[in-house]
Amino acid sequence: MPEQPSILIIENDRTLVVALRDAMAAAGFQVLTAASGEEGLAAAREHRPDLITLDLMLGELTGLDVLRELRRDPEWGKLVPVIILTSVPYLQNMEETKKLAEKIMAKSDFEIPELIDAIRNLLSAPPAMPIGSTPD
Amino acid sequence: MLHTRPMPFLKKLWYNYALSNLPLKPGSLGYSRTLFINIFSAIGFCVELSFGLLNLNSGYFSAAAVEIGAASVMFANLMALRHHGKINAAARLLLVASAAPLMTMLLTNTPYNTGIFWLPAFPIAAYLILGKRQGSTALLILMLVIGTMSLFESLQLVDLAYSYVSIRQMIISLLILAVLMYVHENLREQGLQLAEERAIAFRAAYQKVRQTEKARDEFTATLAHELRNSFVAIQKLAETWRSQLNTITPKKSREYIDLIHQSSTDNLGTINSLLDIVNIEQATFTVNKRLGSLRDIIRQQVGLFTPQAEQAGVTLDVVFDDEIPWQLPIDTFRIKEVLANLISNAIKHTARGNTATVQAIKAVNADHLFERAKELKLKWFMSPEDPKLHGLKDFVWLGVSHAEAGLHREDIPKLFKKFSRLQPKDQLHPPQGHGLGLYIIRRIIESHSGTYGVASRASQGVTFYVTLPVEEPSPKITHA
């Protein structure tokens, strides 16, 4: 792990991206951002961040699509911690999303410090943890 | 599963004959049928009455009563037909009159089955007191009673060896009963069919209400989510800003301010559109047409949107036909709203580096519109086959054309509807714009007696347009 862990924010609301980007940078992370699923997937593969925060409502390629694609990667993508940051009180594929992501947070009531704590927790956890078994 | 069947001929006949209140036109099929039944009833009336009088003369009081009763029924039919189903006062009077011989028999204590003649008084009273519907039922019961009685009597007459009278009466009785059965069966089926049709109509109406309700609920939920997300983002940005107040650079502050401003403006736009919809749905929505300049409106709106277009990397262009009259009968405020919606949609859906063009043409008809467009070298996506342009006379066409790949052909009919938006295949796909603007445009343009529409060419671009009449089409100025 490098000295400054890198975070990739995949989110299409520009205002929220900037808020998270700068708050995370202030907390000592290296931050990458992507505004769509396609862009996010490309950035993830290229830069291999230490953690990804992912929105579900993204466009043609949804957050869940991105997540599935990532987990298909046998090495890095399978293990990279993903925090889902979503507003959709959705029922579709909830089980699958829960299984594939480390943590799900609701956009409507989350605090930035809470998100940063969650990121720190996930980053300090043993790196080779089996997916889906992390206690919150 | 309910289904509609075509009404059989006889049923239709009965419908025309007894239930329809519609006035029939001479020469129509219904009229001929009614005429036929009229003649039939008239003959029946004469025959029954004469037999009745004959019987009365001979002292067969009960038989006479039956004949006169039947005659009065015929006459009632005749009157009902003349007045297309409405039993009028004369017919009622006759029905009462038909009860009179029965009463006479009762009062004079005629030795023959007298008690039973009380019965017809009830349906007649029902007719008079309850009116047509229950009266009809009463009439049927009366006929049933008369028919049955008559049949019994004819059997008794056989015993008494009045063979001629008995056979004739038996035939009449059976006829009455047969007609009765037919009528009853018909009425029942007709009732069923009517119920069926009503059920179908009701179901369809209910379905429609449900669909609208569902669309509205989904729409409200999505909109509420979008607004909440946007406000959460603004809130988070403010928090981030607050946490680094002492260290923040002016450049970053500027970025924050711009983002907050943009998000707030978008949200305000959404809320304004929502209020507009509420307004449009209520009676308070009015269009006040006065003479106004389209040229000024376009100039002003393009000016207003230029900064936003520049920010999005979109060039905003205008092609204005000099043939357009200086003054048009329009609600300036509302037409500004229409153009603002068209332009802001175009900016949102035009890719960076492309151009969105506001175009306005005066034409006398659809063909002329395309000629003028050619002369003005318009780059647009209109099709001469567009049915919305046919039949237009002396109008101004106003549209915004821009390159866009994203408009699916199957989405086009959904545009301009109240609670529909493009694209969301499921909850996870964000909608493209909230689709309120187009509905508002539609309502405003409809109030101007104009048309509206969208034309697109696959993977090239789209033209959203409206047309406005050059002259006021009716003396009505304000539309609700």
Side-chain angles (χ1 to χ4, degrees):
Chain A
M1 201 177 287
E3 253 180 61
Q4 272 202 330
S6 58
I7 315 283
L8 170 61
I9 302 169
I10 308 178
E11 163 67 54
N12 64 357
D13 185 321
R14 179 90 193 123
T15 308
L16 188 61
V17 167
V18 170
L20 294 179
R21 181 195 71 192
D22 291 358
M24 286 182 192
F29 299 113
Q30 231 186 322
V31 189
L32 298 159
T33 63
S36 72
E38 293 85 350
E39 220 180 285
L41 207 53
R45 282 175 177 151
E46 191 188 337
H47 301 288
R48 301 208 160 185
D50 297 308
L51 186 141
I52 296 172
T53 73
L54 181 63
D55 185 13
L56 287 180
M57 277 179 55
L58 283 171
E60 277 301 312
L61 201 66
T62 68
L64 184 58
D65 295 333
V66 172
L67 195 54
R68 285 181 188 144
E69 200 55 45
L70 275 176
R71 295 309 189 211
R72 217 167 280 158
D73 183 297
E75 291 165 38
W76 168 81
K78 205 170 122 191
L79 300 171
V80 61
V82 173
I83 298 179
I84 300 280
L85 199 56
T86 182
S87 67
V88 194
Y90 66 101
L91 299 164
Q92 277 173 295
N93 308 319
M94 188 58 172
E95 284 309 307
E96 189 188 354
T97 314
K98 266 186 181 165
K99 220 184 273 173
L100 291 177
E102 271 62 35
K103 194 173 172 66
I104 297 178
M105 291 177 89
K107 257 188 202 173
S108 52
D109 72 321
F110 84 102
E111 298 299 333
I112 294 180
E114 190 192 349
L115 175 66
I116 289 173
D117 281 349
I119 294 173
R120 289 207 172 112
N121 280 340
L122 283 170
L123 289 177
S124 61
M129 65 208 160
I131 286 153
S133 68
T134 316
D136 282 339
Chain B
M1 196 58 199
L2 290 169
H3 57 94
T4 34
R5 281 170 302 170
M7 216 186 252
F9 174 74
L10 279 174
K11 204 182 277 180
K12 264 191 205 158
L13 193 79
W14 166 251
Y15 198 80
N16 285 336
Y17 162 64
L19 293 178
S20 167
N21 283 331
L22 295 170
L24 296 165
K25 282 195 188 106
S28 72
L29 194 60
Y31 185 84
S32 334
R33 280 179 206 154
T34 312
L35 199 68
F36 170 75
I37 299 161
N38 248 325
I39 293 165
F40 184 78
S41 294
I43 295 169
F45 169 66
C46 294
V47 171
E48 290 298 337
L49 191 66
S50 40
F51 274 128
L53 291 174
L54 218 68
N55 278 333
L56 204 64
N57 195 34
S58 317
Y60 300 128
F61 291 112
S62 59
V66 170
E67 303 287 3
I68 291 169
S72 55
V73 168
M74 291 289 190
F75 191 78
N77 281 341
L78 210 59
M79 298 313 287
L81 283 165
R82 279 183 67 87
H83 295 270
H84 304 302
K86 283 181 192 142
I87 302 282
N88 67 352
R92 285 184 190 189
L93 211 75
L94 209 92
L95 281 168
V96 180
S98 76
L102 310 179
M103 293 301 169
T104 316
M105 282 171 54
L106 182 79
L107 293 175
T108 52
N109 202 12
T110 318
Y112 200 78
N113 276 347
T114 41
I116 209 159
F117 290 118
W118 270 107
L119 282 172
F122 292 108
I124 290 163
Y127 226 142
L128 293 173
I129 296 161
L130 301 173
K132 190 182 156 198
R133 223 181 129 148
Q134 282 88 344
S136 305
T137 317
L139 193 67
L140 288 178
I141 295 169
L142 172 68
M143 280 175 77
L144 184 70
V145 171
I146 289 174
T148 318
M149 266 172 33
S150 177
L151 194 64
F152 273 118
E153 200 183 39
S154 66
L155 293 173
Q156 277 170 326
L157 287 173
V158 175
D159 278 352
L160 296 170
Y162 293 112
S163 57
Y164 158 68
V165 183
S166 79
I167 290 166
R168 190 181 54 79
Q169 189 160 343
M170 205 182 287
I171 291 167
I172 291 172
S173 315
L174 289 172
L175 260 174
I176 290 175
L177 289 174
V179 166
L180 210 61
M181 276 161 72
Y182 174 73
V183 167
H184 174 259
E185 187 55 28
N186 255 304
L187 274 179
R188 201 178 61 86
E189 270 191 41
Q190 207 164 329
L192 284 178
Q193 186 151 345
L194 205 69
E196 222 170 76
E197 277 161 16
R198 277 185 192 162
I200 289 166
F202 175 76
R203 215 170 275 196
Y206 179 73
Q207 212 80 26
K208 212 177 161 202
V209 169
R210 281 289 305 149
Q211 265 171 10
T212 314
E213 265 183 7
K214 204 172 157 240
R216 193 186 55 208
D217 289 350
E218 277 171 13
F219 181 84
T220 313
T222 326
L223 209 63
H225 270 110
E226 259 170 58
L227 280 173
R228 187 172 69 178
N229 283 351
S230 182
F231 280 119
V232 165
I234 294 171
Q235 183 202 37
K236 297 299 176 233
L237 192 61
E239 284 169 15
T240 303
W241 196 355
R242 191 168 54 196
S243 70
Q244 40 179 326
L245 260 187
N246 299 326
T247 54
I248 198 160
T249 61
K251 195 180 159 214
K252 205 146 247 192
S253 294
R254 175 70 209 224
E255 187 189 8
Y256 286 10
I257 291 170
D258 285 347
L259 280 169
I260 291 174
H261 184 257
Q262 189 56 54
S263 296
S264 311
T265 310
D266 288 350
N267 289 353
L268 211 57
T270 306
I271 290 168
N272 281 338
S273 300
L274 262 180
L275 287 175
D276 264 339
I277 295 262
V278 173
N279 193 0
I280 277 176
E281 293 305 296
Q282 283 168 356
T284 50
F285 176 73
T286 51
V287 164
N288 296 308
K289 281 188 247 178
R290 293 200 186 89
L291 289 177
S293 162
L294 189 61
R295 194 184 298 257
D296 288 350
I297 293 174
I298 294 177
R299 191 180 299 145
Q300 189 196 11
Q301 291 302 314
V302 168
L304 273 176
F305 277 97
T306 302
Q308 198 183 316
E310 274 169 8
Q311 211 169 18
V314 174
T315 313
L316 215 49
D317 223 346
V318 180
V319 178
F320 193 87
D321 181 359
D322 286 328
E323 301 286 308
I324 296 176
W326 276 99
Q327 306 261 281
L328 290 170
I330 50 176
D331 182 329
T332 318
F333 174 73
R334 296 288 181 194
I335 296 300
K336 269 183 199 167
E337 215 175 339
V338 167
L339 191 59
N341 267 312
L342 289 176
I343 296 176
S344 89
N345 272 346
I347 293 173
K348 265 184 225 157
H349 293 110
T350 307
R352 201 164 265 281
N354 284 330
T355 304
T357 316
V358 179
Q359 300 148 331
I361 308 176
K362 153 86 173 62
V364 293
N365 57 37
D367 293 337
H368 186 225
L369 175 70
F370 284 87
E371 277 167 37
R372 286 294 294 151
K374 220 171 181 181
E375 284 165 25
L376 292 165
K377 297 197 177 75
L378 227 59
K379 231 190 130 201
W380 67 354
F381 304 97
M382 297 295 289
S383 147
E385 276 101 61
D386 193 335
K388 294 223 174 183
L389 297 175
H390 291 167
L392 288 179
K393 293 240 150 60
D394 260 331
F395 61 99
V396 170
W397 179 96
L398 172 66
V400 180
S401 303
H402 61 96
E404 175 177 327
L407 191 63
H408 300 295
R409 192 159 286 275
E410 62 269 27
D411 282 332
I412 289 176
K414 281 187 247 157
L415 297 167
F416 294 104
K417 293 213 172 120
K418 194 177 4 173
F419 296 121
S420 72
R421 11 164 129 212
L422 294 187
Q423 217 215 7
K425 291 187 206 90
D426 57 60
Q427 293 166 314
L428 298 179
H429 289 83
Q432 307 232 317
H434 30 72
L436 288 171
L438 290 178
Y439 176 67
I440 294 167
I441 290 175
R442 173 181 150 188
R443 289 301 300 260
I444 294 172
I445 293 302
E446 279 172 350
S447 314
H448 277 83
S449 317
T451 58
Y452 54 89
V454 56
S456 89
R457 219 166 287 159
S459 67
Q460 285 190 44
V462 288
T463 300
F464 281 88
Y465 69 89
V466 299
T467 69
L468 293 164
V470 169
E471 265 163 47
E472 187 65 38
S474 69
K476 240 199 235 164
I477 296 287
T478 315
H479 295 249

